[in-house]
Structures are given as structure tokens and as C-alpha cells.
Amino acid sequence: MQKLLIKGKKELSGTILISGSKNASLPILAASLLAKEVKLHNVPLVKDIFTMLELLKFIGVKIKIKNNKRSIILKNNKKIKTLAPYKLVKTMRAGVLVLGPLLTKYGKAKVSLPGGCAIGTRPVDLHLFALKQLGAKIKIKDGYISAEAPNGLVGANIKFPSISVGATENALLAAFNAKGNTILSNCAIEPEILDLISFLKKLGSKIKISGRKIKISGKMSSIKNINHKIIFDRIEAGTYLIAGSLLSKKIVIKQINPKVLKYEIKILKKMGVKISIFKNSIFISKSKKLKKIYLTTKPFPGFPTDLQAQFMVLMTQANGISKIKENIFENRFMHVPELRRMGAKIKIKNKTAFIFGPSKLNGAEVMATDLRASVSLVLAGLIANNRTVVNRIYHLDRGYESLEKKLKKCKAEIKRI
Ligand code: UD1
């Protein structure tokens, strides 16, 4: 099994190019089932994307990848399977996103229940709630969701009882070909969802957003030659901004839109990090004294749960007691015991972590437990004394493209063995 070896305390300097967003690419790849032919650009070539491509291939989509350009061409066959098997959905929950497009286009779909995962139970009840309101008949049997709408889906007014990124995406995808209009309320409005909407518009859908309300007029499209460039990965950018805040003489983060990172930039400035914003880049350098902060994870435009673990590492270096409340997932502090083994002083009470800083971190052998927890251990290793070994980095490979290459380019001592 591969590991990362990190020799800490190296000052970082250089340029980091941010990849395309994994979380935008996944629903857009699922949405490509709705088109005849699609060319996607700026797709990050990470494990989760390959898993989604494998699933689409299984369904019957023809796929060509141009590695150097991060481009993927997807062509829909006439012969397709409306099935997403367990083996392809169990490793990546986003596989459930093919449910909406298959159901709306072919009137039926059988998709494996994704099950729980390390960070929480992560049910799909909200996805199914929306599909049922659009007229789908749904049965759960033998670990599979079987959905049917032989006469097609019908537009509806749907108010989500709580905000979910995946459920909003599945509902949007299903409403794409429903008869009449659909109004979704209490939606997630993450930038990745806005990217999916801009893709669906290219496919011919009429979509209007106002606050957390989205109106869709469904219509199957026959438009060919659709080109779409995936937005940048704001979580990857946020991760490197934190690396820069901890260790950089001067790091330039490029290929981004700083407006999307408004909240993260505000937090970093509040903590005392030196940061200069340009149109498509950010310059960041370490500050001598970091201030404590209190954060609560919330749906966008709030503080993202996907940056909670990384910000916690930054908090270990701030003066005073910082706090993070995790409001989205029930079990997303698994990095804490590992950070403690490296010398971090962190206490957890209910949903809140109290981080006592600043504390000196020491290199250790640690275990990655999920995608974002893994990268927080890499950040901790970069600031720790001596050598850190991060095990189980397959979690990291699910979502970070060329992590060690990007860090090495900025003079970090990191290698994969
Ligand atoms: C997406 C992101 C993930 C991010 C999360 C929250 C992708 C591929 N993944 O995951 O990186 O951490 O948003 O920003 O884009 N819930 C239910 N029932 C449902 C669906 C969700 O109770 O049917 C709950 C979840 O358990 C969780 C909360 O709603 O507590 C938010 O989850 P959701 O927004 O759906 O996350 P994902 O789409 O799975």
C-alpha cells in the first residue's frame, strides 16, 4: 500500500495551479447521459472521476480521455443499461447521481444504495423524496433502488426538508426531462451546482435561480457538440491556501476565481494571514502570529465542511483556543486522534472541537481515514518536526490531483513510497 513520506518545516515558495473541481465534474459526468455527445475540459484526473467513468462505460457510454488537456469526450450509445451495480457505487457515493438522468431519459433505473461511509451515515432519502414528487415509483430491494416512471416524470413543486448537495443535483437531473415546470426550494447552491446548471443550460434546459429556489423547464435535448469547462476546485484551492498560510515565503495560487473563495479569504485575513487578491490568482505568505477563530460548517455560502480538517491544522498554530463546530456530518473529526498523536491539543465536546494553540507538532506515522482528513495530515506533516508517514493515501488519491508534485514544485520535501 502506498504512503507519503514528509520531512516537515520546509519553507514553501512557488506557484500552484489549481485543478478542475472533482465535485463539479461528477454530477456533470452523470448529466452527460442526457446528451448525445459532450466534450468536457479541465476534468481532474483523480480516482473518483475514473470510478464515475467506469460506471458510465458500464452503462454504455463511449469515452475518450485526452490526458494532457484534461479533456473527456462522452458519446451516448443507443444500447444502454439502466443499472448502476454495487461494485461501482460502493466506493463512491456520487454514483447515485446517475439515478436522476437514467430515470428521466429511459423511464427506469436500478442503482445500488451507496450505504454509509466513514464521515457519517449519509442516507439518500432526500434524493428519493424529490424523485417521488416528480412521479417516480420507488422500491428498495436487495440493496438496490429500483425507480420507474414508464410514462415519464412530471414537474412538481418540491421543498427539501433540509439542504443536500447530492439531492439537489439528482432532482435537477431528473427534472431535466420532466413534463412541465419544476420548482425546487431549500436547495444547495454550491458553486459546483451552479456549474451543473450552466452545463444543463447548454443542453437546452431553461433554469432560473433565486436564492435557494431553482425553477427548471424540462426538455430533452438533441443539441450536439457541447463543450464545457469545469470550474476550479475550491476545496483544493482552500487546502493550498492553508499550506501557504502555514509555511509560505510566497505562494501564488493560480487558475481560480477568488470571488468563489470569499468566505475562506475572510477567515484567513481574520486570522492574520497575509493575502493579496488578483483577478485569477492569490498571493499568500505566512504571518508570524496567527489569531484564534471560531468556525461552524454550513452549506455554501457558509464555511465548507470539506475544509474543516485543513483549517483545524491551521488552528493548531494560532494563539488561544479556536473552535470548530461540525454541523453537516456526524462523524467528521476522525483526523483529531491522529493530529493529537502528532502533538496537537484538541478536545471534542459534542459537535465542537476546541483547538488549543499554538502547539508544536512532531512527525509520526499516521493513518488517513477519509479524503479531507488525509490532506489535513499532510498539512500537519509539512509543519511538524522530523518525518511524518501518512498511510492509506488511496483516500487522498480520490480527490487531489498530483498533490505531491504540486507541493514538491513549491520546495516541500514529500515523496510517495
Ligand atoms: C457533497 C460533496 C461532499 C461534501 C458535501 C457537503 C460531492 C461529490 N460531495 O456530498 O464533498 O462534503 O456535499 O458539502 O459533491 N443527507 C440526508 N439525506 C440525503 C442526503 C443527505 O440526510 O438524502 C444529509 C447527509 O447525511 C449530510 C447532509 O445531508 O448530513 C449534507 O449532505 P449532502 O449535501 O447531500 O452531501 P453529498 O452530496 O453526499
Side-chain angles (χ1 to χ4, degrees), residues 51-96:
T51 309
M52 182 58 105
L53 291 176
E54 228 183 293
L55 175 57
L56 293 177
K57 227 186 208 169
F58 174 89
I59 288 172
V61 180
K62 280 194 183 151
I63 296 164
K64 242 193 229 163
I65 306 176
K66 293 191 173 170
N67 276 28
N68 53 341
K69 288 186 181 156
R70 302 288 185 270
S71 296
I72 300 183
I73 303 164
L74 302 112
K75 276 188 201 168
N76 267 307
N77 267 335
K78 288 231 164 76
K79 266 194 181 168
I80 65 113
K81 292 191 200 96
T82 52
L83 172 71
Y86 173 68
K87 65 170 194 247
L88 293 171
V89 182
K90 71 169 186 202
T91 52
M92 187 200 56
R93 292 179 46 80
V96 80

Side-chain angles (χ1 to χ4, degrees), residues 23 26 122-127 164-166 305-306 328-329 332:
N23 286 356
L26 291 170
R122 303 184 81 178
V124 287
D125 56 321
L126 297 171
H127 298 233
S164 156
V165 172
T305 175
D306 283 352
I328 308 285
F329 292 108
R332 214 177 192 181

Side-chain angles (χ1 to χ4, degrees), residues 233-257:
D233 194 314
R234 67 190 165 104
I235 305 299
E236 191 200 17
T239 303
Y240 289 121
L241 282 174
I242 292 168
S245 309
L246 287 164
L247 285 153
S248 105
K249 202 167 154 192
K250 188 160 150 196
I251 280 188
V252 189
I253 312 274
K254 280 192 177 167
Q255 290 182 178
I256 58 164
N257 173 3

Side-chain angles (χ1 to χ4, degrees), residues 375-392:
V375 87
S376 78
L377 298 177
V378 172
L379 292 172
L382 289 172
I383 54 170
N385 287 315
N386 306 321
R387 200 178 76 148
T388 295
V389 181
V390 185
N391 289 292
R392 296 199 182 166

Side-chain angles (χ1 to χ4, degrees), residues 2-18:
Q2 295 190 337
K3 309 168 178 203
L4 281 179
L5 289 189
I6 302 161
K7 200 163 169 229
K9 295 231 168 280
K10 300 277 164 199
E11 198 170 61
L12 303 181
S13 63
T15 299
I16 296 181
L17 302 180
I18 300 302

